Amino acid sequence: MAEDRAQETPETPEGDEPIKQRKNGLYPAVSDELAASMKSGWADTEQRDLEPIAQAPHTARRRAALSARFPGERLVIPAGNLRTRSNDTEYPFRASSEYVHLTGDQTHDAVLVLEPTATGHEATAYLLPRSDRENGEFWLDGQGELWVGRRHSLAEGAQLLGIPCEDVRTLPERLAAATGPVRVVRGQDAGIEAALTDKVTAERDEEFKAFLSELRLVKDEWEIGELQNAVDSTVRGFEDVVKVLDRAEATSERYIEGTFFLRARVEGNDVGYGSICAAGPHATTLHWVRNDGPVRSGELLLLDAGVETTTLYTADVTRTLPVSGTYTDLQRRIYDAVYEAQEAGIAAVRPGAKYRDFHDAAQRVLATRLVEWGLVEGPVERVLELGLQRRWTLHGTGHMLGLDVHDCAQARTESYVDGTLEPGMVLTVEPGLYFQADDLTVPAEYRGIGVRIEDDILVTEDGNRNLSAALPRRSADVEAWMRDLRA
């Protein structure tokens, strides 16, 4: 990794911040002659005929809904800043979902501001402009153009986003001088929050964040298309994994993780969350992301993974696969019970249904099977009333899906888990059974078996559509699918 940025910079224009330099670089200074050379001789690369991004009409509608909800108030939505991974290297940047949903932009340090007007709000995206060639920032600063790539100019940003763009470095001073009510999305940009410290309240900002979460509950056609793209790539990622299970057996769960990640990076932005590549007893750990265990024939692989598109919408799919290609009798019994529960849950997803209905339907099936197997004392109504099945089912049966894998998480309870399903909502249905390796309340042969099946379900006008239906779910179909892929 290149590291020889200069220790000293050319004289910067008055008022500019000095360019941050890495200690112990090999060049002690920049000569006047070199500084002069670097200022000139560069072609004009301004892009003047850019088309608006595909989501621009949709982001405009979302901003209009936001404006209508908070008339007369200044609204501030930051994208967030780079986060240090170690020393002077940063984690890959991922803009806040609130900012992306309202702009379509993904650049760090950016801020969307809705200024109140007599008729609503005027939206402005405050962005970092192209890195400065006069003061040497473009080649001397660690985030300069020659180090990390070209940024769009403010004029280009305006063409792409469909709203005016201004220099974000002027924003803190403007906000500090602002008057009137202000709301901000907290936790993304400490500098912006500091500028507003005497103008905002936690209660008002919490209400603001809840509304922004609820604004994402119902997806538009463009968002549904992006989620379908995410799912389609995820299906191909699962196929990739099945084809290399023999190599995973020779190495570890890491081979599975890396295989799926390759698909995510080639066809999307990243994985939408840490892939769960849980083989054998690791399948009983709900969020097993260490992925450093062995993969053994005769055991199950619980693969919970999702591709995040370049527009940051993510899939979330789980399949529990027999590493050998064939389920044992006990594995099949447990798997088929989870499949039956998922079928009941999916059937309960329809417009007008209570959000909780699909969870209740799936849990009833699992409780019934646990009673039948003699693992818990019935009747089933008693088990459900006391929640006794939760020893082995553990988690809720699903969640909203979108820009976040657990989307809309800050929505009000009455709008989410106590709410009603509407067309355009997308949620997961993912029942599971998990028998821990040290659970002495179940027969020994159950211990260390974990099964989850998860699909991404769109609520339609007349029912639902399984976005991930291309991946087989029935145990016999899973075996046939694996056999065909391995052939």
Side-chain angles (χ1 to χ4, degrees):
M1 183 176 183
E3 62 177 25
D4 293 340
R5 286 172 285 182
Q7 287 296 289
E8 298 178 11
T9 64
E11 187 174 326
T12 58
E14 185 176 354
D16 279 9
E17 291 289 327
I19 295 172
K20 182 180 178 182
Q21 297 300 312
R22 179 187 280 125
K23 188 178 182 181
N24 293 321
L26 294 178
Y27 287 105
V30 175
S31 68
D32 292 342
E33 290 78 7
L34 176 57
S37 170
M38 292 301 287
K39 288 181 182 181
S40 61
W42 304 101
D44 178 11
T45 61
E46 183 74 9
Q47 302 173 40
R48 295 177 174 82
D49 298 311
L50 295 173
E51 294 293 325
I53 56 177
Q55 59 266 54
H58 304 286
T59 58
R61 285 197 295 271
R62 297 165 198 161
R63 292 192 300 271
L66 180 59
S67 174
R69 173 62 181 80
F70 298 104
E73 301 186 58
R74 182 174 285 100
L75 308 174
V76 182
I77 304 97
N81 312 127
L82 294 171
R83 299 286 191 267
T84 299
R85 181 182 184 274
S86 65
N87 191 25
D88 56 358
T89 62
E90 292 85 18
Y91 287 104
F93 178 72
R94 204 277 194 185
S96 72
S97 294
E98 294 87 358
Y99 177 80
V100 172
H101 191 240
L102 293 168
T103 66
D105 180 47
Q106 298 180 32
T107 56
H108 63 82
D109 298 328
V111 184
L112 172 68
V113 178
L114 272 64
E115 295 280 353
T117 67
T119 57
H121 286 83
E122 181 178 306
T124 302
Y126 288 85
L127 313 174
L128 284 171
R130 288 193 64 187
S131 49
D132 197 327
R133 292 180 183 258
E134 282 302 306
N135 70 2
E137 176 197 354
F138 81 109
W139 72 287
L140 293 171
D141 186 83
Q143 293 299 318
E145 186 171 306
L146 298 193
W147 288 90
V148 298
R150 183 186 186 277
R151 297 192 291 262
H152 282 298
S153 70
L154 297 179
E156 291 168 353
Q159 292 178 70
L160 291 167
L161 304 183
I163 54 177
C165 295
E166 297 191 28
D167 189 338
V168 71
R169 294 171 297 188
T170 68
L171 183 58
E173 184 176 353
R174 294 188 188 192
L175 292 177
T179 59
V182 183
R183 296 179 191 253
V184 64
V185 175
R186 300 191 181 204
Q188 298 296 337
D189 192 316
I192 294 300
E193 289 183 45
L196 294 170
T197 186
D198 60 342
K199 307 176 193 302
V200 295
T201 68
E203 182 180 6
R204 288 158 53 80
D205 291 345
E206 185 177 341
E207 182 183 31
F208 183 43
K209 183 130 182 176
F211 178 81
L212 291 173
S213 230
E214 291 174 22
L215 193 60
R216 305 208 305 269
L217 281 169
V218 175
K219 272 63 179 176
D220 56 42
E221 291 184 6
W222 182 86
E223 290 181 290
I224 292 168
E226 288 303 289
L227 284 167
Q228 185 65 70
N229 291 338
V231 168
D232 292 345
S233 289
T234 298
V235 168
R236 290 187 283 273
F238 274 66
E239 292 172 345
D240 296 339
V241 167
V242 170
K243 292 174 182 177
V244 300
L245 276 179
D246 57 334
R247 300 179 198 175
E249 287 186 69
T251 52
S252 76
E253 296 161 338
R254 291 280 168 92
Y255 203 97
I256 295 166
E257 179 182 3
T259 298
F260 187 85
F261 180 70
L262 177 61
R263 178 67 64 174
R265 285 295 280 169
V266 168
E267 296 192 0
N269 176 61
D270 205 331
V271 290
Y273 54 95
S275 299
I276 299 167
C277 308
H282 289 162
T284 67
T285 300
L286 297 184
H287 287 170
W288 177 261
V289 293
R290 299 179 201 170
N291 299 335
D292 58 0
V295 179
R296 301 186 183 96
S297 183
E299 295 185 334
L300 296 176
L301 166 68
L302 190 157
L303 178 58
D304 184 337
V307 171
E308 179 185 74
T309 65
T310 55
T311 58
L312 306 188
Y313 286 81
T314 185
D316 182 8
V317 178
T318 306
R319 290 295 183 268
T320 305
L321 311 173
V323 175
S324 68
T326 304
Y327 296 101
T328 67
D329 290 344
L330 180 59
Q331 289 169 352
R332 189 184 306 276
R333 180 200 298 177
I334 297 170
Y335 184 96
D336 288 349
V338 174
Y339 170 78
E340 182 186 354
Q342 194 200 28
E343 282 283 276
I346 293 174
V349 175
R350 58 183 179 275
K354 295 296 183 185
Y355 176 85
R356 293 180 181 271
D357 287 353
F358 76 94
H359 169 72
D360 293 341
Q363 290 292 298
R364 178 171 293 276
V365 171
L366 295 178
T368 299
R369 294 293 166 261
L370 292 167
V371 170
E372 289 177 354
W373 298 341
L375 302 184
V376 64
E377 182 181 350
V380 170
E381 293 299 336
R382 167 184 171 272
V383 173
L384 292 171
E385 181 181 355
L386 299 176
L388 301 179
Q389 83 284 359
R390 291 180 61 187
R391 181 182 179 101
W392 303 285
T393 64
L394 294 177
H395 55 80
T397 309
H399 52 80
M400 291 295 180
L401 185 68
L403 280 168
D404 293 333
V405 65
H406 297 146
D407 207 30
C408 313
Q410 302 305 316
R412 294 168 298 167
T413 301
E414 58 265 33
S415 300
Y416 193 158
V417 296
D418 289 340
T420 301
L421 296 179
E422 300 178 39
M425 290 181 171
V426 180
L427 60 145
T428 67
V429 179
E430 50 173 316
L433 283 173
Y434 311 92
F435 299 103
Q436 305 301 319
D438 58 351
D439 188 350
L440 301 182
T441 70
V442 300
E445 60 268 25
Y446 283 75
R447 298 171 197 164
I449 294 178
V451 173
R452 180 164 67 251
I453 311 171
E454 178 180 21
D455 285 89
D456 301 342
I457 310 298
L458 167 68
V459 183
T460 62
E461 294 289 343
D462 57 358
N464 69 67
R465 173 159 59 93
N466 186 348
L467 301 179
S468 45
L471 275 180
R473 292 187 295 124
R474 293 179 186 270
S475 55
D477 294 341
V478 170
E479 291 173 331
W481 171 71
M482 293 182 69
R483 186 166 55 250
D484 290 346
L485 287 173
R486 286 172 156 179

